Amino acid sequence: MAIATSILKLHLQYRLLISEMNADINVLRIFEDYLQEILSSKYKSEIKKRVEYFKSNFIQLRKEIDDLRDEMHKKKMKLFLLSKENTVLDSKSFKADNHKEILKQFKAYRKKFDKIKKEFTRF
């Protein structure tokens, strides 16, 4: 990653991932509404443990989203400034900014989110 277009490419990648997480927040809100509806049903006692499981996972996912989104936003803004200044992002700077780790964290988050989403849809 030694040219300005690579900086812009990484910046755009962060924008896409942040947008994806914003959509995930909306999905979690809808799922939480479903949980409220389920808890108001006559089968409440039979499924309470399962509802609590999903509630705690939704809270955990939301925290992960908020933390990851915040970190990505900071990196995205820094990359945007670098691209405006036509600064070169060398491998040392790339490693120092920990982009690889952030993208790795996103992949782990995505895997968790997709698993919970699939479980909830079956529920």
Side-chain angles (χ1 to χ4, degrees), residues 23-115:
D24 292 346
I25 288 170
N26 288 328
V27 170
L28 289 174
R29 286 179 182 147
I30 293 167
F31 285 175
E32 288 169 354
D33 290 345
Y34 272 117
L35 289 179
Q36 288 299 92
E37 179 65 26
I38 290 167
L39 284 176
S40 67
S41 74
K42 61 183 175 183
Y43 305 107
K44 177 179 169 180
S45 62
E46 298 164 17
I47 58 173
K48 191 170 184 172
K49 276 188 177 179
R50 199 75 175 136
V51 167
E52 289 304 316
Y53 165 79
F54 284 116
K55 270 186 173 183
S56 69
N57 275 284
F58 294 167
I59 290 168
Q60 181 184 3
L61 284 168
R62 180 58 196 262
K63 180 168 178 8
E64 279 186 57
I65 289 171
D66 290 343
D67 293 344
L68 197 52
R69 231 178 18 161
D70 183 53
E71 191 62 34
M72 284 185 175
H73 181 72
K74 290 174 189 172
K75 301 295 183 187
K76 177 187 73 133
M77 296 310 291
K78 184 175 179 181
L79 289 166
F80 181 73
L81 290 174
L82 290 173
S83 72
K84 289 296 180 191
E85 298 168 356
N86 288 326
T87 304
V88 174
L89 182 65
D90 59 14
S91 62
K92 185 177 177 182
S93 298
F94 181 82
K95 287 178 186 175
D97 279 344
N98 214 14
H99 296 291
K100 194 173 189 176
E101 182 61 31
I102 292 169
L103 297 174
K104 184 178 169 183
Q105 288 174 9
F106 177 80
K107 285 181 183 178
Y109 152 76
R110 171 60 43 215
K111 191 174 181 179
K112 276 190 246 177
F113 181 86
D114 290 344
K115 177 183 176 272

XYZ file of all heavy atoms in Angstrom, residues 23-115:
803
model
N -26.588 -0.806 9.206
C -27.726 -1.640 8.815
C -27.960 -2.740 9.849
O -29.110 -3.069 10.174
C -27.491 -2.240 7.430
N -26.880 -3.295 10.380
C -26.997 -4.333 11.413
C -27.695 -3.796 12.656
O -28.457 -4.511 13.306
C -25.625 -4.887 11.790
C -24.978 -5.698 10.670
O -25.687 -6.059 9.707
O -23.770 -5.957 10.770
N -27.427 -2.541 13.001
C -28.095 -1.924 14.150
C -29.602 -1.913 13.928
O -30.384 -2.225 14.835
C -27.557 -0.500 14.402
C -26.142 -0.573 14.963
C -28.472 0.270 15.367
C -25.426 0.766 15.023
N -30.030 -1.594 12.725
C -31.462 -1.594 12.417
C -32.047 -2.999 12.534
O -33.156 -3.174 13.048
C -31.716 -1.016 11.029
C -31.491 0.472 10.989
O -31.716 1.172 11.977
N -31.031 0.972 9.863
N -31.312 -3.988 12.079
C -31.771 -5.381 12.199
C -31.915 -5.747 13.673
O -32.926 -6.340 14.079
C -30.798 -6.343 11.481
C -31.114 -7.796 11.806
C -30.838 -6.123 9.972
N -30.937 -5.379 14.492
C -31.017 -5.682 15.926
C -32.218 -4.998 16.576
O -32.877 -5.593 17.434
C -29.728 -5.267 16.637
C -28.497 -6.126 16.340
C -27.259 -5.526 16.983
C -28.712 -7.550 16.810
N -32.513 -3.781 16.166
C -33.683 -3.082 16.716
C -34.974 -3.822 16.362
O -35.858 -3.964 17.205
C -33.744 -1.655 16.169
C -32.725 -0.742 16.779
C -32.816 0.644 16.190
N -31.792 1.508 16.754
C -31.205 2.486 16.097
N -31.534 2.750 14.847
N -30.283 3.216 16.683
N -35.068 -4.298 15.149
C -36.260 -5.049 14.731
C -36.348 -6.358 15.510
O -37.421 -6.737 15.999
C -36.241 -5.302 13.206
C -36.390 -3.969 12.463
C -37.337 -6.285 12.793
C -36.077 -4.042 10.977
N -35.220 -7.040 15.677
C -35.205 -8.277 16.457
C -35.632 -8.021 17.900
O -36.360 -8.822 18.496
C -33.820 -8.924 16.427
C -33.467 -9.617 15.137
C -32.207 -10.143 14.957
C -34.383 -9.743 14.100
C -31.864 -10.806 13.778
C -34.057 -10.392 12.916
C -32.788 -10.925 12.767
N -35.187 -6.907 18.472
C -35.592 -6.567 19.834
C -37.098 -6.334 19.918
O -37.742 -6.717 20.902
C -34.822 -5.344 20.323
C -33.367 -5.650 20.624
C -32.513 -4.403 20.860
O -33.003 -3.273 20.678
O -31.336 -4.580 21.219
N -37.672 -5.733 18.888
C -39.125 -5.552 18.838
C -39.834 -6.906 18.788
O -40.875 -7.095 19.429
C -39.533 -4.698 17.638
C -39.116 -3.242 17.785
O -38.776 -2.821 18.919
O -39.123 -2.525 16.769
N -39.270 -7.837 18.037
C -39.834 -9.193 18.005
C -39.793 -9.823 19.396
O -40.753 -10.473 19.821
C -39.054 -10.094 17.036
C -39.543 -10.061 15.611
C -38.720 -9.605 14.592
C -40.819 -10.523 15.269
C -39.151 -9.593 13.281
C -41.260 -10.515 13.960
C -40.425 -10.045 12.969
O -40.851 -10.041 11.668
N -38.688 -9.628 20.103
C -38.582 -10.187 21.453
C -39.656 -9.613 22.368
O -40.241 -10.343 23.172
C -37.188 -9.932 22.041
C -36.038 -10.719 21.430
C -34.719 -10.340 22.110
C -36.272 -12.219 21.530
N -39.908 -8.329 22.256
C -40.954 -7.697 23.062
C -42.310 -8.330 22.755
O -43.098 -8.599 23.656
C -41.008 -6.191 22.798
C -39.841 -5.437 23.373
C -39.779 -5.569 24.876
O -39.121 -6.468 25.405
N -40.456 -4.693 25.563
N -42.551 -8.541 21.481
C -43.812 -9.165 21.067
C -43.916 -10.584 21.625
O -44.965 -10.991 22.126
C -43.910 -9.181 19.539
C -45.151 -9.828 18.997
C -46.425 -9.074 19.346
O -46.360 -7.847 19.573
O -47.486 -9.710 19.388
N -42.840 -11.320 21.557
C -42.821 -12.694 22.060
C -43.073 -12.713 23.569
O -43.833 -13.542 24.067
C -41.477 -13.377 21.718
C -41.388 -13.636 20.212
C -41.314 -14.676 22.488
C -40.004 -14.017 19.728
N -42.459 -11.789 24.288
C -42.642 -11.748 25.745
C -44.058 -11.383 26.146
O -44.497 -11.722 27.251
C -41.651 -10.765 26.376
C -40.225 -11.270 26.491
C -39.324 -10.179 27.045
C -40.155 -12.513 27.366
N -44.771 -10.730 25.274
C -46.153 -10.379 25.598
C -47.135 -11.490 25.214
O -48.316 -11.373 25.471
C -46.543 -9.065 24.902
O -46.586 -9.257 23.511
N -46.612 -12.568 24.649
C -47.494 -13.669 24.231
C -47.795 -14.594 25.408
O -47.172 -14.526 26.463
C -46.842 -14.472 23.108
O -45.790 -15.264 23.617
N -48.726 -15.502 25.191
C -49.137 -16.423 26.248
C -48.107 -17.528 26.504
O -48.206 -18.252 27.479
C -50.487 -17.043 25.907
C -50.506 -17.859 24.631
C -51.892 -18.367 24.330
C -51.911 -19.084 22.992
N -53.227 -19.516 22.636
N -47.098 -17.646 25.623
C -46.066 -18.673 25.774
C -44.819 -18.152 26.488
O -43.785 -18.784 26.480
C -45.660 -19.215 24.393
C -46.834 -19.722 23.613
C -47.330 -19.003 22.535
C -47.458 -20.922 23.941
C -48.427 -19.464 21.814
C -48.546 -21.385 23.231
C -49.032 -20.650 22.160
O -50.100 -21.097 21.464
N -44.953 -17.050 27.111
C -43.843 -16.344 27.738
C -42.957 -17.243 28.616
O -41.743 -17.253 28.467
C -44.392 -15.180 28.549
C -43.402 -14.397 29.310
C -44.117 -13.283 30.033
C -43.224 -12.607 31.038
N -43.911 -11.535 31.728
N -43.538 -17.985 29.515
C -42.752 -18.772 30.463
C -41.961 -19.889 29.788
O -40.879 -20.249 30.241
C -43.654 -19.357 31.547
O -44.601 -20.216 30.964
N -42.465 -20.417 28.705
C -41.813 -21.536 28.021
C -40.569 -21.102 27.246
O -39.692 -21.922 26.989
C -42.796 -22.218 27.071
C -44.000 -22.808 27.778
C -45.138 -23.120 26.826
O -44.901 -23.185 25.614
O -46.258 -23.291 27.322
N -40.508 -19.871 26.874
C -39.411 -19.428 26.016
C -38.550 -18.326 26.639
O -37.678 -17.771 25.970
C -39.950 -18.944 24.657
C -40.949 -17.819 24.850
C -40.527 -20.084 23.857
C -41.401 -17.173 23.566
N -38.764 -18.079 27.906
C -38.070 -16.972 28.563
C -36.545 -17.112 28.497
O -35.845 -16.137 28.239
C -38.529 -16.833 30.003
C -38.056 -15.560 30.634
C -38.705 -15.320 31.967
C -38.228 -13.964 32.470
N -38.901 -13.542 33.646
N -36.012 -18.318 28.722
C -34.563 -18.521 28.672
C -34.008 -18.174 27.289
O -32.958 -17.557 27.171
C -34.201 -19.970 29.011
C -34.101 -20.259 30.463
C -33.549 -21.649 30.680
C -33.378 -21.915 32.154
N -32.866 -23.256 32.416
N -34.719 -18.582 26.286
C -34.268 -18.329 24.913
C -34.298 -16.827 24.610
O -33.391 -16.298 23.976
C -35.174 -19.100 23.936
C -34.596 -19.286 22.599
C -33.510 -20.366 22.621
N -33.091 -20.546 21.242
C -31.841 -20.658 20.862
N -30.885 -20.674 21.737
N -31.541 -20.784 19.604
N -35.322 -16.155 25.070
C -35.439 -14.703 24.870
C -34.288 -13.994 25.576
O -33.670 -13.086 25.009
C -36.811 -14.185 25.355
C -36.818 -12.673 25.438
C -37.917 -14.682 24.433
N -33.977 -14.411 26.797
C -32.871 -13.808 27.537
C -31.536 -14.042 26.819
O -30.675 -13.167 26.806
C -32.813 -14.343 28.970
C -33.937 -13.850 29.843
C -34.029 -12.327 29.897
O -32.986 -11.661 30.034
O -35.157 -11.810 29.798
N -31.371 -15.228 26.261
C -30.168 -15.543 25.487
C -30.006 -14.548 24.336
O -28.928 -13.977 24.146
C -30.255 -16.984 24.953
C -29.265 -17.310 23.871
C -27.943 -17.608 24.183
C -29.646 -17.332 22.534
C -27.021 -17.922 23.188
C -28.741 -17.638 21.534
C -27.436 -17.930 21.866
O -26.525 -18.237 20.866
N -31.083 -14.336 23.593
C -31.007 -13.412 22.457
C -30.813 -11.971 22.922
O -30.018 -11.232 22.339
C -32.241 -13.531 21.567
C -32.228 -14.758 20.706
C -33.188 -15.737 20.868
C -31.246 -14.939 19.749
C -33.175 -16.880 20.085
C -31.217 -16.085 18.966
C -32.182 -17.059 19.126
N -31.505 -11.582 23.976
C -31.344 -10.221 24.497
C -29.891 -9.933 24.841
O -29.349 -8.894 24.469
C -32.207 -10.011 25.742
C -33.574 -9.520 25.484
C -34.227 -9.218 26.837
C -35.566 -8.562 26.642
N -36.198 -8.197 27.900
N -29.264 -10.851 25.573
C -27.869 -10.619 25.980
C -26.942 -10.603 24.767
O -25.998 -9.806 24.711
C -27.412 -11.644 27.009
O -27.290 -12.912 26.434
N -27.204 -11.449 23.792
C -26.386 -11.442 22.578
C -26.580 -10.163 21.775
O -25.621 -9.634 21.212
C -26.689 -12.660 21.707
C -25.888 -13.856 22.126
O -24.700 -13.951 21.846
N -26.534 -14.765 22.837
N -27.803 -9.663 21.719
C -28.064 -8.410 20.994
C -27.340 -7.244 21.665
O -26.771 -6.391 20.989
C -29.560 -8.121 20.911
C -30.349 -9.103 20.092
C -31.730 -9.113 20.159
C -29.740 -10.015 19.256
C -32.483 -9.996 19.394
C -30.473 -10.923 18.493
C -31.850 -10.910 18.571
N -27.336 -7.234 22.983
C -26.628 -6.171 23.725
C -25.127 -6.252 23.444
O -24.478 -5.239 23.186
C -26.930 -6.270 25.233
C -28.383 -5.876 25.499
C -25.960 -5.414 26.044
C -28.881 -6.216 26.898
N -24.600 -7.457 23.489
C -23.172 -7.650 23.237
C -22.814 -7.241 21.799
O -21.806 -6.561 21.587
C -22.791 -9.110 23.477
C -21.324 -9.395 23.266
C -20.984 -10.868 23.408
O -21.852 -11.713 23.611
N -19.714 -11.178 23.292
N -23.631 -7.637 20.842
C -23.369 -7.268 19.449
C -23.430 -5.756 19.265
O -22.606 -5.171 18.548
C -24.372 -7.951 18.511
C -24.131 -9.431 18.251
C -25.337 -10.047 17.550
C -22.860 -9.641 17.433
N -24.389 -5.125 19.902
C -24.509 -3.673 19.774
C -23.272 -2.971 20.340
O -22.769 -2.018 19.750
C -25.783 -3.196 20.479
C -26.014 -1.705 20.400
C -26.080 -1.247 18.930
N -25.930 0.176 18.822
C -26.934 1.037 18.698
N -28.173 0.596 18.639
N -26.696 2.311 18.619
N -22.757 -3.465 21.451
C -21.543 -2.876 22.021
C -20.367 -3.069 21.070
O -19.587 -2.139 20.845
C -21.235 -3.482 23.387
C -19.973 -2.881 23.989
C -19.791 -3.211 25.417
C -18.537 -2.671 26.042
N -17.705 -1.762 25.327
N -20.241 -4.256 20.514
C -19.170 -4.518 19.548
C -19.281 -3.584 18.348
O -18.274 -3.043 17.887
C -19.210 -5.966 19.067
C -18.575 -6.946 20.001
C -18.520 -8.336 19.406
O -17.948 -8.506 18.303
O -19.065 -9.259 20.041
N -20.498 -3.420 17.857
C -20.712 -2.524 16.715
C -20.276 -1.112 17.066
O -19.540 -0.471 16.312
C -22.194 -2.520 16.277
C -22.562 -3.835 15.613
C -22.469 -1.361 15.314
C -24.059 -3.993 15.336
N -20.729 -0.609 18.206
C -20.398 0.761 18.606
C -18.893 0.960 18.730
O -18.349 1.955 18.243
C -21.100 1.126 19.909
C -22.606 1.282 19.751
O -23.080 1.433 18.598
O -23.305 1.245 20.779
N -18.216 0.026 19.374
C -16.770 0.143 19.561
C -16.024 0.069 18.225
O -15.144 0.884 17.952
C -16.247 -0.945 20.497
C -16.748 -0.806 21.922
O -17.261 0.288 22.272
O -16.637 -1.781 22.686
N -16.394 -0.903 17.426
C -15.725 -1.097 16.142
C -16.008 0.057 15.181
O -15.107 0.542 14.494
C -16.179 -2.431 15.532
C -15.356 -3.029 14.412
C -13.878 -3.124 14.775
C -15.898 -4.405 14.055
N -17.243 0.508 15.173
C -17.613 1.638 14.321
C -16.842 2.894 14.701
O -16.369 3.632 13.839
C -19.118 1.901 14.457
C -19.857 1.987 13.193
C -21.318 2.198 13.395
N -21.704 2.685 14.714
C -22.848 3.253 14.978
N -23.736 3.413 14.035
N -23.154 3.653 16.183
N -16.716 3.125 15.997
C -15.979 4.294 16.472
C -14.519 4.227 16.025
O -13.969 5.209 15.520
C -16.070 4.366 18.001
C -15.379 5.591 18.559
O -15.694 6.712 18.101
O -14.524 5.429 19.454
N -13.903 3.073 16.203
C -12.502 2.907 15.804
C -12.337 3.059 14.289
O -11.408 3.724 13.820
C -11.995 1.538 16.267
C -10.508 1.363 16.146
C -9.702 2.336 16.990
O -10.148 2.707 18.095
O -8.615 2.733 16.537
N -13.240 2.467 13.534
C -13.168 2.578 12.076
C -13.376 4.016 11.617
O -12.729 4.474 10.674
C -14.195 1.673 11.408
C -13.824 0.237 11.396
S -15.053 -0.684 10.452
C -14.329 -2.301 10.464
N -14.258 4.709 12.279
C -14.517 6.097 11.906
C -13.254 6.947 12.098
O -12.917 7.767 11.232
C -15.667 6.672 12.729
C -16.008 8.077 12.375
N -16.630 8.420 11.196
C -15.763 9.235 13.026
C -16.763 9.735 11.151
N -16.247 10.250 12.250
N -12.553 6.739 13.192
C -11.305 7.478 13.439
C -10.283 7.177 12.350
O -9.634 8.091 11.823
C -10.730 7.114 14.805
C -11.534 7.624 15.966
C -10.985 7.089 17.268
C -11.885 7.412 18.427
N -11.454 6.734 19.669
N -10.133 5.903 12.019
C -9.170 5.507 10.977
C -9.587 6.058 9.620
O -8.756 6.535 8.849
C -9.048 3.982 10.896
C -8.611 3.306 12.157
C -7.213 3.681 12.564
C -6.824 2.899 13.809
N -5.558 3.325 14.337
N -10.879 6.003 9.354
C -11.399 6.505 8.078
C -11.101 7.992 7.918
O -10.656 8.429 6.848
C -12.907 6.248 8.016
C -13.592 6.777 6.785
C -15.096 6.624 6.910
C -15.597 7.627 7.896
N -16.733 8.405 7.571
N -11.312 8.752 8.960
C -11.065 10.193 8.889
C -9.570 10.487 8.697
O -9.195 11.367 7.935
C -11.590 10.895 10.143
C -13.108 10.794 10.293
S -14.036 11.268 8.816
C -13.715 13.007 8.768
N -8.739 9.724 9.378
C -7.296 9.901 9.219
C -6.877 9.583 7.781
O -6.085 10.318 7.180
C -6.543 9.006 10.204
C -5.049 9.198 10.173
C -4.365 8.370 11.244
C -2.855 8.563 11.180
N -2.160 7.758 12.188
N -7.422 8.515 7.233
C -7.104 8.145 5.852
C -7.586 9.207 4.869
O -6.903 9.522 3.889
C -7.733 6.794 5.513
C -7.102 5.590 6.180
C -8.006 4.375 6.049
C -5.720 5.316 5.600
N -8.741 9.769 5.149
C -9.270 10.815 4.281
C -8.322 12.015 4.263
O -8.021 12.560 3.197
C -10.668 11.238 4.733
C -11.282 12.294 3.867
C -11.734 11.982 2.599
C -11.389 13.601 4.321
C -12.295 12.965 1.793
C -11.942 14.581 3.527
C -12.399 14.265 2.244
N -7.852 12.404 5.430
C -6.909 13.522 5.501
C -5.617 13.198 4.762
O -5.072 14.054 4.051
C -6.607 13.886 6.953
C -7.750 14.526 7.729
C -7.368 14.690 9.199
C -8.123 15.870 7.124
N -5.123 11.989 4.916
C -3.912 11.583 4.203
C -4.110 11.634 2.695
O -3.224 12.065 1.959
C -3.484 10.176 4.627
C -2.937 10.011 6.034
C -2.719 8.534 6.351
C -1.645 10.788 6.214
N -5.279 11.214 2.237
C -5.533 11.220 0.797
C -5.616 12.649 0.259
O -5.186 12.921 -0.858
C -6.804 10.443 0.452
O -7.947 11.150 0.857
N -6.149 13.559 1.040
C -6.233 14.965 0.631
C -4.852 15.615 0.567
O -4.627 16.521 -0.217
C -7.136 15.770 1.577
C -8.594 15.426 1.435
C -9.072 15.809 0.056
C -10.527 15.466 -0.110
N -10.983 15.571 -1.475
N -3.961 15.139 1.419
C -2.604 15.682 1.449
C -1.677 14.965 0.482
O -0.493 15.266 0.404
C -2.028 15.555 2.866
C -2.783 16.321 3.920
C -2.363 15.951 5.334
O -1.535 15.040 5.512
O -2.884 16.582 6.265
N -2.228 13.989 -0.252
C -1.439 13.155 -1.173
C -0.264 12.479 -0.471
O 0.814 12.330 -1.018
C -0.954 13.966 -2.380
C -2.084 14.279 -3.314
O -3.008 13.484 -3.470
N -2.025 15.439 -3.932
N -0.491 12.113 0.765
C 0.521 11.419 1.555
C 0.547 9.950 1.159
O -0.471 9.367 0.810
C 0.190 11.538 3.058
O 0.073 12.915 3.376
C 1.252 10.899 3.907
N 1.720 9.371 1.232
C 1.874 7.960 0.912
C 1.741 7.143 2.193
O 2.326 7.495 3.222
C 3.248 7.712 0.242
C 3.472 6.226 0.034
C 3.333 8.460 -1.076
N 0.984 6.065 2.112
C 0.831 5.166 3.257
C 1.765 3.987 3.042
O 1.483 3.089 2.257
C -0.622 4.694 3.364
C -0.963 3.776 4.526
C -0.790 4.515 5.848
C -2.379 3.269 4.413
N 2.885 4.016 3.725
C 3.823 2.913 3.590
C 3.440 1.780 4.537
O 2.555 1.923 5.369
C 5.258 3.377 3.816
C 5.474 4.002 5.189
O 4.591 3.842 6.061
O 6.510 4.646 5.382
N 4.114 0.669 4.399
C 3.745 -0.505 5.210
C 3.960 -0.255 6.699
O 3.213 -0.773 7.528
C 4.521 -1.733 4.753
O 5.905 -1.540 4.919
N 4.946 0.547 7.061
C 5.195 0.849 8.471
C 4.012 1.617 9.070
O 3.523 1.303 10.150
C 6.480 1.659 8.609
C 6.894 1.922 10.031
C 8.214 2.676 10.085
C 8.574 2.991 11.523
N 9.810 3.768 11.619
N 3.521 2.618 8.339
C 2.361 3.396 8.797
C 1.112 2.526 8.846
O 0.296 2.640 9.760
C 2.118 4.586 7.873
O 3.211 5.457 7.887
N 0.968 1.674 7.846
C -0.181 0.772 7.786
C -0.221 -0.116 9.026
O -1.250 -0.263 9.678
C -0.112 -0.079 6.515
C -1.266 -1.025 6.352
C -2.469 -0.579 5.836
C -1.150 -2.353 6.706
C -3.547 -1.448 5.674
C -2.216 -3.233 6.551
C -3.407 -2.768 6.034
N 0.918 -0.675 9.377
C 0.994 -1.544 10.555
C 0.785 -0.749 11.839
O 0.124 -1.210 12.766
C 2.333 -2.273 10.592
C 2.452 -3.370 9.561
C 3.811 -4.030 9.606
C 3.939 -5.026 8.462
N 5.286 -5.611 8.399
N 1.348 0.445 11.894
C 1.227 1.283 13.101
C -0.224 1.664 13.363
O -0.645 1.760 14.520
C 2.084 2.539 12.955
N -0.996 1.861 12.309
C -2.406 2.223 12.468
C -3.295 1.006 12.711
O -4.496 1.139 12.914
C -2.903 2.999 11.245
C -2.524 4.460 11.299
O -2.151 4.938 12.386
O -2.623 5.123 10.258
N -2.704 -0.184 12.648
C -3.401 -1.408 13.034
C -4.626 -1.726 12.170
O -5.607 -2.273 12.657
C -3.782 -1.326 14.516
C -3.723 -2.663 15.189
O -3.171 -3.613 14.645
N -4.295 -2.742 16.367
N -4.571 -1.377 10.894
C -5.701 -1.625 9.994
C -6.014 -3.119 9.876
O -7.179 -3.509 9.863
C -5.427 -1.049 8.603
C -5.288 0.434 8.598
N -6.353 1.272 8.841
C -4.215 1.235 8.398
C -5.947 2.517 8.782
N -4.651 2.528 8.521
N -4.979 -3.922 9.804
C -5.178 -5.367 9.649
C -5.978 -5.935 10.831
O -6.884 -6.736 10.649
C -3.820 -6.053 9.514
C -3.880 -7.458 9.021
C -2.468 -7.982 8.749
C -2.530 -9.317 8.055
N -1.201 -9.812 7.694
N -5.638 -5.498 12.037
C -6.326 -5.984 13.238
C -7.792 -5.536 13.265
O -8.677 -6.303 13.642
C -5.601 -5.511 14.498
C -6.218 -6.016 15.779
C -6.235 -7.528 15.908
O -5.330 -8.214 15.386
O -7.176 -8.044 16.548
N -8.043 -4.313 12.863
C -9.421 -3.806 12.841
C -10.260 -4.609 11.850
O -11.401 -4.983 12.138
C -9.454 -2.306 12.510
C -8.844 -1.518 13.669
C -10.873 -1.829 12.226
C -8.581 -0.073 13.361
N -9.696 -4.884 10.681
C -10.423 -5.667 9.679
C -10.635 -7.103 10.168
O -11.679 -7.710 9.913
C -9.687 -5.628 8.339
C -9.584 -4.228 7.715
C -8.707 -4.252 6.470
C -10.958 -3.652 7.396
N -9.684 -7.615 10.913
C -9.813 -8.953 11.513
C -10.942 -8.956 12.547
O -11.740 -9.895 12.614
C -8.478 -9.345 12.151
C -8.430 -10.732 12.715
C -7.040 -11.005 13.273
C -7.015 -12.274 14.078
N -5.692 -12.513 14.691
N -11.006 -7.896 13.348
C -12.076 -7.775 14.344
C -13.439 -7.712 13.660
O -14.416 -8.289 14.148
C -11.877 -6.527 15.196
C -10.748 -6.619 16.174
C -10.498 -5.291 16.886
O -11.270 -4.354 16.775
N -9.396 -5.219 17.610
N -13.499 -7.013 12.539
C -14.765 -6.925 11.815
C -15.196 -8.310 11.326
O -16.369 -8.668 11.431
C -14.680 -5.962 10.624
C -15.961 -5.927 9.842
C -17.034 -5.164 10.284
C -16.123 -6.701 8.704
C -18.236 -5.161 9.593
C -17.319 -6.707 8.011
C -18.372 -5.924 8.454
N -14.269 -9.072 10.804
C -14.605 -10.424 10.321
C -15.142 -11.291 11.470
O -16.100 -12.034 11.293
C -13.393 -11.087 9.676
C -13.080 -10.543 8.308
C -11.888 -11.247 7.689
C -11.563 -10.627 6.345
N -10.392 -11.235 5.719
N -14.520 -11.170 12.635
C -14.982 -11.936 13.810
C -16.380 -11.474 14.218
O -17.258 -12.301 14.520
C -13.999 -11.777 14.958
N -16.576 -10.164 14.228
C -17.901 -9.617 14.545
C -18.936 -10.133 13.547
O -20.020 -10.571 13.930
C -17.882 -8.080 14.539
C -19.225 -7.512 14.190
C -20.261 -7.511 15.122
C -19.493 -7.061 12.897
C -21.519 -7.055 14.771
C -20.745 -6.600 12.554
C -21.750 -6.607 13.493
O -22.999 -6.175 13.154
N -18.612 -10.065 12.255
C -19.546 -10.471 11.198
C -19.954 -11.921 11.383
O -21.124 -12.282 11.233
C -18.889 -10.246 9.827
C -19.637 -10.816 8.633
C -21.040 -10.320 8.375
N -21.189 -8.915 8.535
C -22.317 -8.346 9.018
N -23.360 -9.070 9.356
N -22.413 -7.056 9.147
N -18.997 -12.753 11.734
C -19.275 -14.176 11.946
C -20.264 -14.360 13.100
O -21.223 -15.127 12.992
C -17.956 -14.906 12.232
C -18.041 -16.392 12.204
C -16.653 -16.998 12.350
C -16.725 -18.507 12.289
N -15.402 -19.119 12.403
N -20.029 -13.633 14.215
C -20.941 -13.707 15.367
C -22.331 -13.205 15.009
O -23.330 -13.835 15.355
C -20.407 -12.863 16.532
C -19.402 -13.542 17.390
C -19.144 -12.713 18.621
C -17.711 -12.218 18.555
N -17.353 -11.345 19.651
N -22.372 -12.061 14.344
C -23.658 -11.471 13.989
C -24.458 -12.420 13.094
O -25.641 -12.651 13.335
C -23.471 -10.121 13.276
C -24.777 -9.465 12.916
C -25.431 -8.663 13.838
C -25.359 -9.661 11.677
C -26.644 -8.062 13.527
C -26.570 -9.068 11.354
C -27.215 -8.272 12.289
N -23.825 -12.953 12.074
C -24.516 -13.861 11.155
C -25.022 -15.115 11.864
O -26.113 -15.603 11.575
C -23.607 -14.227 9.980
C -23.363 -13.063 9.039
O -24.106 -12.051 9.099
O -22.396 -13.133 8.245
N -24.230 -15.619 12.824
C -24.641 -16.804 13.590
C -25.890 -16.505 14.427
O -26.867 -17.260 14.391
C -23.492 -17.253 14.496
C -23.809 -18.433 15.388
C -22.626 -18.745 16.301
C -22.953 -19.847 17.271
N -23.557 -19.357 18.508
